[in-house]
Amino acid sequence: MAGSGASPNSHSSLSSQPTAESRAALLKRAARAAIDYLDGEDVRPVAPSANAVAALKALQGPLPPGPTSPEAVLRLLDEYGSPATVAKTSGRYFGFVNGGCLPAALAASWLVSAWDQNAAFYVQSPTAITLEDVALEWVREMLGLPAGTSGAVVTGATMANFSALAAARHRLLERVGWDVEADGLFGAPPITVVVGEEAHSSLIKALGLLGLGRKRVVRVPVDAQGRMRADALPPLDAQTILCLQAGNVNSGSFDPAADLCPAARQAGAWIHVDGAFGLWAAVSPAYRKLTSGFELADSWATDGHKWPNIGYDCGIVLVRDPSALRAAMSIEAAYLLQGDRREPSHYNPELSRRARGVELWAGLRSLGWSGMAAIVERTSSHARRFAEGLRAAGFEVLNEVVINQVLVSFGSPEHTLGTIARLQANGACWCGGTVWQGRTAMRISVSSWATTKDDVERSLAAMIKAAREQGPPA
Ligand SMILES: *Cc1c(COP(=O)(O)O)cnc(C)c1O
């Protein structure tokens, strides 16, 4: 209980449980604040003002010795927290590759927080585990992956890459009689890891976490769109992990899986696909051909929080032979349940975890096949409109706009960086900078379900204005 340092007040509030009535009032107030926040998205600048960020001071400082009422805590959050957020829900946020959050996924997230389920084992939450099972099967079908493929919902594609590569590491070393989970990597037979020059930095980080080495990789040259060159692929064998990419984080391009996978399979290599957002193109008949061949892989990493707009944190790892993932992830403690069913704990790096599968289930259920296809098609069409509008204004688009990603140069690196800073400060929309094959560029990622044609035209006008105000391109 409260120590001698606590004030008498704090002691009394600690011992008095909130009534059901005051809890209901608090939650209604929180819902009201959330709804007001969302309703304000049209007037709020996308990037918060410097004043709003400075005012976060009110939330800093040491932990008070005694309690604060939940109502006051909520008021602090809304008064100081809300204004200093980045307004990602507006449909005019094009930073990184960030989706929005579908209303059904948001509502499910509220409910699942109230349920407070621990989704480690079925016995802890039949609802959470059942919905995760169903959602994983839906994702497998939507991405066109082989029957029997399974995995888990994890925090993001970084952990999905990590988990899939742990399964690969297990299987390849098991083949040569090495138990990597028991004995580690010291003295183990070598594994070759082959990646494209344009592999995502999170995949490289995952290799480091697994002891496979960030630098200890064979890098395959790429073409002008960032696609792995099939003619430059090194010889592969059964001790090789080949990492392909579906959806380059800058250009949106896809490695030529249909050219690469048959030979890699023949050689016995483990093929892993980082398809954080791009793999979802498989859902649209118009874009599906971009993903052809990726179904031949052994493992896949993708995100629910990017193109499907599920809200954070929602990564998905899928493995053709789930027993390899289980061997890498199961904690095998005697006191924990064993059995036939897919216990999430045995298929992901965590034990206690949020019931993330519930939001994934809710978001996908609300979309259906056609809703997901519509997001892919609509955001890609918005991206084409951005490219066309920027070209018409005299700026250079650096990539073939195959899906939802656009890279634009406004002139010299300084001019492009200056334009990005001006655009971000203006607050009409938000885009970040990147370097694409040695060129400084602004990246436009249209990933939110909420982006409308009007958002695109407003944002396009703001981009062109920012570039012109920056002066003539040097
Ligand atoms: C975003 C992204 C990642 C990392 O995903 P997180 O969910 O942020 O961990 C990995 N690979 C690619 C291609 C990505 O676009």
Side-chain angles (χ1 to χ4, degrees):
M1 277 313 296
S4 54
S7 69
N9 270 350
S10 69
H11 187 261
S12 65
S13 15
L14 269 182
S15 53
S16 62
Q17 291 297 315
T19 63
E21 223 168 278
S22 70
R23 184 175 65 189
L26 175 74
L27 294 180
K28 282 179 184 159
R29 210 167 295 167
R32 188 71 253 164
I35 293 162
D36 289 346
Y37 177 87
L38 294 173
D39 285 349
E41 69 193 10
D42 234 38
V43 290
R44 191 179 297 112
V46 178
S49 71
N51 284 346
V53 174
L56 285 173
K57 268 203 189 64
L59 307 182
Q60 297 173 318
L63 182 69
T68 306
S69 75
E71 290 76 17
V73 171
L74 179 65
R75 222 177 302 123
L76 281 170
L77 281 177
D78 195 36
E79 188 170 340
Y80 297 102
S82 295
T85 56
V86 172
K88 278 184 69 263
T89 61
S90 70
R92 283 172 286 110
Y93 183 81
F94 307 107
F96 303 90
V97 184
N98 284 182
C101 185
L102 292 165
L106 174 58
S109 154
W110 288 1
L111 189 56
V112 85
S113 293
W115 290 346
D116 190 30
Q117 300 291 279
N118 184 342
F121 293 108
Y122 185 81
V123 70
Q124 291 171 295
S125 183
T127 299
I129 281 58
T130 299
L131 294 183
E132 181 172 335
D133 286 347
V134 173
L136 285 171
E137 182 62 9
W138 287 350
V139 172
R140 180 194 71 72
E141 288 187 329
M142 292 172 94
L143 303 185
L145 305 182
T149 294
S150 186
V153 181
V154 294
T155 49
T158 302
M159 285 316 286
N161 279 323
F162 170 85
S163 304
L165 291 166
R169 184 182 69 163
H170 170 85
R171 183 50 42 84
L172 264 52
L173 288 174
E174 182 194 51
R175 280 183 195 153
V176 289
W178 188 271
D179 182 348
V180 66
E181 283 74 33
D183 299 322
L185 274 180
F186 298 102
I191 291 177
T192 305
V193 180
V194 177
V195 302
E197 266 312 338
E198 276 285 345
H200 194 270
S201 49
S202 72
L203 180 115
I204 304 296
K205 171 178 167 176
L207 290 169
L209 290 172
L210 287 162
L212 294 170
R214 293 189 184 203
K215 273 170 65 184
R216 208 189 138 281
V217 291
V218 178
R219 287 182 175 271
V220 182
V222 295
D223 67 12
Q225 298 305 316
R227 293 175 293 224
M228 197 184 271
R229 275 176 39 205
D231 64 317
L233 195 69
L236 305 173
D237 61 24
Q239 292 310 106
T240 300
I241 304 173
L242 171 64
C243 300
L244 302 183
Q245 183 163 259
N248 179 289
V249 74
N250 282 314
S251 70
S253 70
F254 292 70
D255 285 339
D259 296 340
L260 296 164
C261 288
R265 279 189 76 78
Q266 192 77 33
W270 179 289
I271 307 169
H272 171 66
V273 178
D274 178 1
F277 61 104
L279 271 181
W280 294 94
V283 180
S284 159
Y287 290 83
R288 185 170 298 146
K289 63 181 180 306
L290 291 167
T291 65
S292 123
F294 288 104
E295 75 284 357
L296 297 171
D298 297 285
S299 58
W300 303 265
T302 193
D303 268 326
H305 58 223
K306 286 180 175 167
W307 241 354
N309 282 257
I310 303 299
Y312 300 96
D313 39 28
C314 189
I316 300 144
V317 54
L318 290 167
V319 180
R320 176 188 290 269
D321 175 1
S323 72
L325 183 61
R326 184 185 165 122
M329 294 294 163
S330 178
I331 63 174
E332 303 290 4
Y335 76 98
L336 295 171
L337 316 169
Q338 307 285 331
D340 288 341
R341 81 162 357 269
R342 190 196 68 91
E343 297 286 2
S345 161
H346 294 323
Y347 293 89
N348 86 95
E350 298 159 354
L351 186 53
S352 295
R353 61 206 268 273
R354 292 186 70 238
R356 300 183 188 102
V358 177
E359 285 132 286
L360 182 59
W361 181 93
L364 294 181
R365 175 75 192 244
S366 80
L367 289 173
W369 285 85
S370 64
M372 187 61 223
I375 291 182
V376 168
E377 290 160 15
R378 191 168 67 238
T379 54
S380 300
S381 134
H382 289 331
R384 285 196 301 278
R385 168 66 191 136
F386 271 122
E388 168 200 284
L390 289 164
R391 272 200 203 102
F395 303 111
E396 187 187 359
V397 173
L398 303 182
N399 64 315
E400 283 171 22
V401 180
V402 288
I403 45 171
N404 62 331
Q405 304 287 111
V406 184
L407 300 170
V408 56
S409 163
F410 293 103
S412 68
E414 296 70 34
H415 197 81
T416 297
L417 292 174
T419 299
I420 295 169
R422 220 170 254 277
L423 183 67
Q424 291 178 356
N426 164 291
C429 68
W430 202 97
C431 296
T434 189
V435 176
W436 174 245
Q437 302 195 336
R439 301 212 35 204
T440 299
M442 184 176 87
R443 176 173 57 193
I444 307 167
S445 175
V446 192
S447 300
S448 174
W449 69 280
T451 302
T452 62
K453 281 186 175 167
D454 180 53
D455 287 323
V456 174
E457 296 309 323
R458 271 171 76 182
S459 303
L460 191 52
M463 290 169 191
I464 294 168
K465 181 165 173 277
R468 298 210 165 127
E469 282 172 3
Q470 187 61 21

